[in-house]
């Protein structure tokens, strides 16, 4: 059968992960979609042996700057102020379009390897139109599902290619009307806007960027409420006052967003994205994820940047669970004591939901991906469950979230295309990612002599 593939004999997580419906079944994939979940007869279509695995929706990463994989590991001991000064204001200036292509391709392949089938690309290094094109070229080459979000922020170049902010808006319009003229959300790569960091530009710039996203009818995402100072205004409240909140908006981090502001986001139909590893390390504050979810705001998980950490969402799920539980437990411990505790604040099933279906909802893609249902895209992973560290399986969701790791990801399929099988990512992609990534940071650093002299 042309364009069909049978995933045979696995334990399939069917539907919304929160329902924890695990079924021993086959999955028929046809023309890039899930055609059937059940007992699928053999009819000559190619098959993947799924025995010894959970068949799961692929992870959905809702906050990730793929291009920064060009500097993989550089920031592991940095805080947010160092990050802003050294990368956003410095190394970003020295990335050519070719470097962006290398970083993005390498970042996307590494994400696939970890079971990520959809990743936003929050591309905030659009130094020229070619930089944006290079990102989309790389994502297309890898074949991961993505929302490419065109960054409207201005990297502080000595000789900027875009001489006015209006030029940037026009270039985003150009890209939308050329490369992204088809508006079907089921397209493998869709278009969005990454606005300038809130508070970093005059209000009229923010107004123009939000208006552009509305004009183009695409997702807008933006870094929000993640830098702290007694002098900073509450950014969500300010957007509300100016009438800018609305649907198709994804607020990244939102660590100091108040509960009252989360209620405003819920009313507006907006979403948030949490990236626990970077937020906890760099000093952004605790993840907003659970507070947002309690207020009815879709809350995705993300890995943020491979300049800092792996695109592995198993780690993000665990850090979210434990940091949120710790901060919520502490007042109880200090008042009533241990007897007042009542389990974890974020269950394993909830963590997996935020890493899949709720991330998809945050990106506006929940009708397309994020769970295994007939008619949705064939975006899935086979996660081995037959290792020493898996058995016995007492609770499947606990095995997935608290006992598994990226090396257990056996197979990854995006839109029906096998990207990883038998524990190895597609060999041509793997070789290309490594050959492009090797040397890229040395070239970037060689263009930034003052930084090199200061040790970075
Ligand atoms: Zn970010």
């Amino acid at each position: 059968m042309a364009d069909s593939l049978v995933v045979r004999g696995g334990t399939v997580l069917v539907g919304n992960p929160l329902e924890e419906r695990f079924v021993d079944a086959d999955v028929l994939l046809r023309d890039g979609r899930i055609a059937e979940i059940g007992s699928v007869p053999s009819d000559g279509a190619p098959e993947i042996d799924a025995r010894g695995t959970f068949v799961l929706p692929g992870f959905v990463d809702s906050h990730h700057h793929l291009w920064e994989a060009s500097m993989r590991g550089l920031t592991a001991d940095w805080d947010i102020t160092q990050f802003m000064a050294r990368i956003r204001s410095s190394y970003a200036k020295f990335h050519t379009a070719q470097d962006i292509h290398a970083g993005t391709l390498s970042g996307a392949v590494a994400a696939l390897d970890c079971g990520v089938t959809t990743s936003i690309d929050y591309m905030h290094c659009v130094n020229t139109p070619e930089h944006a094109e290079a990102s989309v070229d790389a994502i297309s080459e890898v074949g991961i599902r993505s929302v490419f979000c065109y960054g409207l922020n201005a990297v502080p170049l000595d000789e900027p290619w875009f001489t006015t902010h209006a030029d940037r808006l026009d270039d985003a319009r150009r890209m939308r009307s050329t490369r992204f003229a088809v508006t079907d959300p089921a397209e493998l790569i869709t278009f969005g806007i990454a606005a300038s960091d809130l508070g970093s530009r005059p209000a009229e710039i923010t107004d123009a960027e939000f208006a552009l996203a509305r004009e183009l009818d695409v997702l807008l995402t933006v870094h929000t409420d993640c830098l702290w100072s007694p002098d900073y205004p509450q950014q969500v409240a300010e957007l509300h006052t100016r009438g800018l909140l609305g649907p198709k908006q994804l607020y990244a981090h939102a660590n100091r967003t108040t509960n009252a502001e989360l209620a405003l986001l819920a009313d507006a139909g907006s979403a948030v994205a949490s990236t626990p590893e970077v937020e906890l390390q760099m000093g952004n504050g605790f993840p907003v994820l659970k507070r947002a979810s309690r207020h009815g705001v879709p809350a995705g998980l993300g890995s943020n940047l491979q300049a800092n950490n792996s695109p592995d969402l198993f780690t993000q799920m665990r850090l979210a669970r434990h940091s949120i539980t710790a901060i919520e437990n502490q007042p109880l411990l200090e008042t009533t004591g241990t007897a007042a505790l009542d389990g974890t604040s974020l269950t394993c099933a909830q963590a997996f939901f935020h890493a899949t279906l709720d991330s998809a909802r945050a990106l506006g893609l929940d009708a397309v991906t994020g769970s295994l249902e007939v008619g949705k895209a064939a975006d899935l992973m086979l996660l081995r469950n037959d290792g020493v560290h898996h058995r016995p399986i007492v609770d499947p969701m606990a095995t997935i979230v608290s006992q598994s790791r990226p090396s257990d990801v056996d197979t990854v399929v995006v839109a029906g295309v096998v990207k990883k099988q038998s524990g190895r990512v597609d060999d041509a992609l793997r070789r290309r990612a490594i050959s492009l990534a090797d040397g890229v940071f040395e070239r970037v650093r060689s263009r930034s002599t003052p930084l090199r002299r200061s040790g970075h």
Side-chain angles (χ1 to χ4, degrees):
M1 196 192 298
D3 295 322
S4 291
L5 179 66
V6 180
V7 178
R8 188 170 300 286
T11 302
V12 184
L13 175 60
V14 182
N16 187 332
L18 285 176
E19 295 168 8
E20 301 185 63
R21 192 147 59 93
F22 289 91
V23 179
D24 289 334
D26 312 318
V27 183
L28 173 63
L29 314 180
R30 185 185 293 140
D31 298 329
R33 292 177 185 266
I34 298 169
E36 190 178 343
I37 301 173
S39 182
V40 177
S42 293
D43 68 351
E47 299 198 354
I48 290 178
D49 182 358
R51 288 173 297 176
T53 73
F54 292 118
V55 181
L56 304 172
F59 287 123
V60 179
D61 189 319
S62 54
H63 188 72
H64 198 155
H65 313 281
L66 289 170
W67 69 275
E68 288 177 318
S70 62
M71 300 166 281
R72 192 170 262 123
L74 176 68
T75 76
D77 289 320
W78 293 7
D79 62 46
I80 186 64
T81 305
Q82 292 166 331
F83 172 80
M84 295 299 284
R86 296 172 186 171
I87 287 192
R88 297 290 304 282
S89 300
S90 297
Y91 284 130
K93 295 196 290 188
F94 306 110
H95 275 73
T96 64
Q98 214 177 5
D99 301 329
I100 294 292
H101 177 266
T104 304
L105 189 139
S106 166
V109 172
L112 274 181
D113 195 25
C114 292
V116 175
T117 52
T118 300
S119 178
I120 196 172
D121 184 21
Y122 189 128
M123 194 348 208
H124 54 357
C125 190
V126 183
N127 295 345
T128 71
E130 286 70 35
H131 284 63
E133 296 285 347
S135 279
V136 181
D137 288 345
I139 301 165
S140 305
E141 207 176 315
V142 174
I144 196 169
R145 189 177 302 282
S146 185
V147 183
F148 169 77
C149 290
Y150 186 111
L152 297 173
N153 60 295
V155 173
L157 298 168
D158 296 337
E159 293 178 38
W161 195 95
F162 294 105
T163 51
T164 67
H165 187 252
D167 289 346
R168 291 180 188 281
L169 304 185
D170 282 344
D171 194 54
R173 287 188 184 95
R174 172 197 64 78
M175 211 165 180
R176 164 69 159 159
S177 64
T178 54
R179 230 167 154 161
F180 294 95
V182 178
T183 56
D184 184 352
E187 286 286 304
L188 196 60
I189 310 176
T190 52
F191 190 73
I193 292 293
S196 303
D197 295 354
L198 292 176
S200 70
R201 311 287 292 274
E204 55 269 26
I205 295 281
T206 300
D207 290 347
E209 294 181 353
F210 276 61
L212 178 69
R214 283 197 304 275
E215 171 195 324
L216 301 181
D217 192 25
V218 295
L219 179 78
L220 175 144
T221 189
V222 64
H223 292 138
T224 309
D225 282 331
C226 54
L227 301 178
W228 296 66
S229 163
D231 306 326
Y232 288 165
Q234 289 299 127
Q235 293 173 330
V236 170
E238 198 166 271
L239 292 174
H240 170 69
T241 303
R242 298 199 342 253
L244 294 179
L245 294 184
K248 295 192 176 183
Q249 294 177 356
L250 174 56
Y251 293 94
H253 309 309
N255 308 83
R256 62 181 183 84
T257 299
T258 65
N259 288 343
E261 289 175 298
L262 291 172
L264 296 175
L265 293 183
D267 286 347
S270 311
V272 299
S274 280
T275 65
E277 190 160 11
V278 165
E279 293 167 14
L280 293 168
Q281 174 196 314
M282 290 200 180
N284 295 117
F286 285 95
V288 74
L289 182 121
K290 185 67 191 185
R291 288 195 295 121
S293 191
R294 286 197 183 107
H295 283 83
V297 179
L301 272 173
S303 59
N304 203 342
L305 55 141
Q306 293 177 54
N308 198 68
N309 52 262
S310 152
D312 154 28
L313 290 189
F314 292 101
T315 301
Q316 303 306 324
M317 289 192 293
R318 289 182 200 144
L319 286 171
R321 272 164 51 72
H322 305 321
S323 60
I324 292 166
T325 299
I327 194 172
E328 294 195 348
N329 280 348
Q330 196 63 29
L332 297 173
L333 297 176
E334 291 175 8
T335 53
T336 316
T338 309
L341 299 180
D342 184 20
T344 59
S345 295
L346 193 69
T347 66
C348 289
Q350 288 166 344
F352 193 73
F353 167 72
H354 289 296
T356 53
L357 188 57
D358 220 26
S359 259
R361 196 157 65 117
L363 294 174
L365 293 179
D366 50 316
V368 176
T369 192
S371 60
L372 302 185
E373 292 167 52
V374 171
K376 288 184 96 167
D379 295 353
L380 52 88
M381 66 170 144
L382 273 57
L383 185 72
R384 296 228 69 86
N385 62 19
D386 53 1
V388 171
H389 58 289
H390 297 120
R391 299 302 176 106
I393 299 172
V394 174
D395 171 347
M397 208 47 107
T399 303
I400 292 163
V401 174
S402 70
Q403 305 290 336
S404 297
R405 48 208 189 206
S407 58
D408 294 324
V409 175
D410 179 273
T411 299
V412 176
V413 180
V414 182
V417 179
V418 178
K419 297 292 180 184
K420 180 178 185 182
Q421 195 166 10
S422 304
R424 279 180 74 81
V425 79
D426 176 87
D427 217 40
L429 275 182
R430 189 180 59 79
R431 281 201 303 267
R432 180 132 168 87
I434 291 172
S435 73
L436 287 175
D438 278 349
V440 65
F441 183 58
E442 284 73 16
R443 289 195 295 278
V444 170
R445 185 153 57 179
S446 72
R447 301 182 197 112
S448 55
T449 311
L451 284 170
R452 189 170 48 183
R453 276 203 299 268
S454 69
H456 293 282

